[in-house]
Amino acid sequence: MATRHDTAAPPTEEGGAAPGRPPKDGAPAALDKRRARLSRRWQRDMRWSPYAFVSPFFLLFLAFGLFPLIYTGWASLHQVELTAPTDMNWVGFRNYTRIFDDDFFWNAAQNTLTIGIISTVPQLLMAMGLAHILNYKLRASTFYRVAMLAPYATSIAAASLVFVLLFGRDYGMINWVLNQVGIDNIDWQNDKWPSQIAVSSIVIWRWTGYNALIYLAAMQAIPQDLYESAALDGANRWQQFFHVTLPSLRPTILFTVVVSTIGASQVFGEPLLFDANKGASGGSQHQFQTLGLYLYEQGWVNQHLGRASAIAWTMFLILIVIGIVNYVISRRLRASS
């Protein structure tokens, strides 16, 4: 009788008769690789996504802000005419010396300064007073705050044309009111100081409410404990305003002064539309021509783009000086406080 001997095939590592079992850690290893890949992708996303989100602003700034600024500076060193903007002849700083020797440039600079002072000082004082009134609890306070922004939202063209009618020499409402108190008609468009006052009134009407809301927001951020302490010391509302409100508003006041000064140096639409001839001369005798109008006249009326570019860069340097002065004053205010 034959004896049967059943023997199992020996396990082989590879290619043997008996199949080998897959390693137990194969699936977790692939999962770890996938997790590591997703982790690296997530880290790259967290690192670069903020730059992608803000990149449209920088692209638009490069295209419509930085490039025109650099190109304007380059054009200011050349003789360029509007009729042939691609033909540029190198003249160095001659455009700058020519505008500095031009009496109309200094007249425009003086007009810009006086209109800026006449419009900025009353504007900020009125804005402070309106903000102080709105800071108290009033009925329909939301309506008044929205009404403060109505002039700012109004078109410059519409507002200027209305003020032209108000300041008319023969049939204007302003002269009619002055006649009631015995004052003769004033030629608001042809006399120097009346015309500058009229242009400044447009700026005052348009920006007072905007600055009032800025002051109101700053006033509401002042702690009430300061007012309560001042009241316990016997201070009335005027004393609280001068000794609590104004010192707390010094940074905000400085900000509005700087912004209003920059805006005054760029006044353009109001004097352009206030001119009876609707030209860039700023009146028949250039009595209210600002730097913005002078730039427009040189570039688009006289067609000297190189000279207009030099004026633009001069205005830009003036704004830089204003910014430096603001920085120095703000540092001193912070150090003193």
Side-chain angles (χ1 to χ4, degrees):
M1 186 175 194
T3 305
R4 181 180 178 182
H5 298 281
D6 295 331
T7 58
T12 58
E13 295 182 0
E14 290 182 358
R21 295 181 178 180
K24 294 182 180 181
D25 57 346
L31 185 60
D32 291 341
K33 290 181 180 180
R34 185 170 180 271
R35 288 177 177 175
R37 185 171 61 254
L38 292 177
S39 177
R40 290 193 296 269
R41 184 182 302 175
W42 180 81
Q43 291 177 358
R44 288 195 299 268
D45 181 69
M46 292 296 295
R47 177 179 297 179
W48 300 108
S49 291
Y51 298 99
F53 293 149
V54 301
S55 60
F57 165 77
F58 288 101
L59 293 176
L60 292 175
F61 174 74
L62 289 175
F64 300 102
L66 186 61
F67 173 74
L69 180 64
I70 297 175
Y71 186 80
T72 302
W74 178 251
S76 68
L77 303 176
H78 294 77
Q79 181 182 359
V80 191
E81 301 298 327
L82 185 62
T83 55
T86 57
D87 297 337
M88 305 176 68
N89 299 320
W90 175 267
V91 294
F93 291 97
R94 192 176 71 179
N95 287 325
Y96 293 93
T97 57
R98 289 189 64 177
I99 63 173
F100 290 148
D101 292 335
D102 190 358
D103 293 335
F104 292 110
F105 170 78
W106 295 110
N107 175 72
Q110 182 181 359
N111 293 338
T112 303
L113 178 62
T114 54
I115 291 175
I117 295 175
I118 297 173
S119 62
T120 300
V121 176
Q123 173 193 151
L124 296 183
L125 292 177
M126 294 171 59
M128 182 67 69
L130 291 173
H132 185 63
I133 295 174
L134 293 175
N135 194 31
Y136 291 100
K137 294 181 180 180
L138 299 174
R139 292 183 179 180
S141 59
T142 303
F143 169 77
Y144 294 121
R145 294 172 185 177
V146 174
M148 289 291 102
L149 281 179
Y152 172 72
T154 305
S155 170
I156 299 179
S160 300
L161 293 178
V162 170
F163 274 84
V164 168
L165 297 177
L166 291 176
F167 286 100
R169 183 186 62 181
D170 298 324
Y171 304 103
M173 184 178 292
I174 304 298
N175 278 341
W176 178 82
V177 174
L178 294 177
N179 288 334
Q180 303 305 311
V181 295
I183 300 177
D184 295 333
N185 287 349
I186 298 176
D187 194 350
W188 294 99
Q189 290 184 328
N190 294 320
D191 294 340
K192 180 177 181 179
W193 286 107
S195 63
Q196 294 187 7
I197 293 174
V199 172
S200 300
S201 65
I202 307 175
V203 180
I204 293 171
W205 178 84
R206 195 161 179 267
W207 291 99
T208 298
Y210 177 84
N211 289 310
L213 292 183
I214 293 178
Y215 288 146
L216 177 61
M219 288 179 183
Q220 292 180 344
I222 300 175
Q224 292 297 323
D225 298 341
L226 298 178
Y227 292 103
E228 294 175 359
S229 300
L232 291 175
D233 292 337
N236 55 30
R237 287 189 174 182
W238 281 107
Q239 292 173 337
Q240 292 177 19
F241 177 77
F242 284 106
H243 298 286
V244 177
T245 304
L246 287 182
S248 301
L249 293 181
R250 284 188 301 178
T252 306
I253 294 173
L254 179 62
F255 169 76
T256 54
V257 168
V258 173
V259 172
S260 299
T261 304
I262 293 175
S265 65
Q266 298 174 341
V267 170
F268 174 76
E270 292 86 349
L272 176 66
L273 296 173
F274 188 76
D275 191 356
N277 298 322
K278 298 299 182 288
S281 59
S284 57
Q285 302 295 327
H286 300 267
Q287 63 268 16
F288 56 92
Q289 185 183 45
T290 60
L291 286 175
L293 283 181
Y294 179 71
L295 184 154
Y296 181 82
E297 183 183 37
Q298 292 296 323
W300 279 264
V301 178
N302 299 336
Q303 301 182 353
H304 302 315
L305 293 183
R307 202 176 304 172
S309 300
I311 300 170
W313 260 84
T314 302
M315 296 173 62
F316 176 67
L317 295 177
I318 293 174
L319 296 181
I320 290 179
V321 172
I322 294 174
I324 294 174
V325 173
N326 171 38
Y327 175 75
V328 173
I329 295 176
S330 60
R331 284 196 60 184
R332 291 186 177 181
L333 288 178
R334 286 195 299 266
S336 63
S337 61

